[in-house]
């Protein structure tokens, strides 16, 4: 089933998914630095639509700013 969900995935989504499958989480800045992905939330949306159980943990990073850290539950 997992291979079927990967068929039409773009390379950024595939790289992000592989990263998440190792048990790690990812933030937008990490996605940009590691995979050149400027729109992590869009890639996460695509992965969720494909059936991957991804969750977002929003964290305060100071100065009133919050960042989403994504992981597979």
């Amino acid at each position: 089933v997992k291979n079927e969900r990967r068929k039409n995935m773009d390379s950024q989504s595939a790289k992000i998914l592989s990263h998440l499958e190792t048990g790690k989480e990812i933030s937008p800045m990490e996605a940009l630095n590691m995979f050149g992905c400027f729109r992590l939330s869009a890639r996460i949306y695509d992965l969720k639509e494909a059936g991957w159980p991804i969750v977002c943990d929003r964290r305060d990073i100071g100065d009133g700013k919050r960042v989403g850290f994504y992981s597979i539950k």
Side-chain angles (χ1 to χ4, degrees):
V1 175
K2 284 185 179 182
N3 287 337
E4 290 177 25
R5 289 190 277 179
R6 290 179 190 266
K7 281 184 183 175
N8 296 323
M9 197 178 298
D10 68 34
S11 64
Q12 282 184 339
S13 295
K15 289 175 185 175
I16 291 164
L17 179 59
S18 292
H19 178 81
L20 294 174
E21 287 185 307
T22 66
K24 297 176 185 172
E25 60 185 14
I26 193 165
S27 71
M29 188 58 76
E30 291 169 329
L32 177 59
N33 291 333
M34 293 190 304
F35 309 121
C37 179
F38 283 91
R39 296 184 60 223
L40 178 61
S41 61
R43 300 295 67 81
I44 294 296
Y45 175 84
D46 293 342
L47 291 169
K48 285 182 171 184
E49 285 292 302
W52 294 97
I54 298 173
V55 294
C56 180
D57 177 26
R58 295 199 179 272
R59 298 181 194 157
D60 233 344
I61 60 166
D63 294 333
K65 297 177 184 158
R66 293 175 58 87
V67 173
F69 288 79
Y70 298 93
S71 62
I72 292 180
K73 63 175 171 178

